[in-house]
Amino acid sequence: MRDRGGFPRAPLVALATFTAAGGASIHAQMPLPSAAKPSGAELFAQQCATCHSLSPADAPRQGPALAGIYGRKAGGVAGFNYSPGYGEAGFVWDEAHLDSYLTDPQAVIPGAVMLYKQKNADVRKAIIAFLKEQK
């Protein structure tokens, strides 16, 4: 085959083969750094703060204030109108109960009116660690 437009045949065949193999979409790039995982405080602000405050002085929202929840009896915020199941809960909030509750509130406290369910264990762990720090 004759040269086309001053290009020898071999480089054209190589380019055609490279393009047909999908090589044209390959770009030399530096790998992107992985995104930083959000902190427990950021996750709380994004996923919990609409319904829950961290200050006992705040008026109750859809849910009770969560300051001091770790180690507190379930359903123990005075003045908050809990679902009836909280009165029968009979436990204090610890890591295991918070983890189960954030996974599926109604499985832990039947009739709980909390729509949030978090299936990601890392997200639950970060939120629980943050809540443990809130006194």
Side-chain angles (χ1 to χ4, degrees):
M1 177 182 235
R2 221 176 62 195
D3 288 349
R4 302 205 183 244
F7 293 107
R9 179 173 186 241
L12 288 175
V13 170
L15 180 60
T17 303
F18 181 72
T19 303
S25 64
I26 297 174
H27 301 284
Q29 292 183 3
M30 302 225 10
L32 295 173
S34 54
K37 291 183 180 180
S39 68
E42 291 168 325
L43 290 167
F44 181 89
Q46 294 167 355
Q47 300 182 22
C48 310
T50 299
C51 296
H52 297 278
S53 168
L54 288 174
S55 173
D58 289 348
R61 299 179 185 172
Q62 179 69 25
L66 296 181
I69 188 170
Y70 196 83
R72 181 171 69 209
K73 182 182 182 318
V77 173
F80 185 78
N81 187 21
Y82 287 96
S83 306
Y86 286 88
E88 301 169 15
F91 62 83
V92 297
W93 292 112
D94 57 17
E95 285 186 39
H97 283 101
L98 285 167
D99 187 62
S100 296
Y101 186 77
L102 292 175
T103 302
D104 186 359
Q106 292 76 26
V108 176
I109 299 179
V113 183
M114 182 158 129
L115 303 176
Y116 179 85
K117 291 183 180 183
Q118 180 53 254
K119 299 301 180 192
N120 184 317
D122 290 335
V123 171
R124 291 191 313 270
K125 184 177 178 179
I127 291 171
I128 292 166
F130 174 73
L131 289 174
K132 284 175 72 172
E133 298 170 354
Q134 308 309 305
K135 305 292 179 197

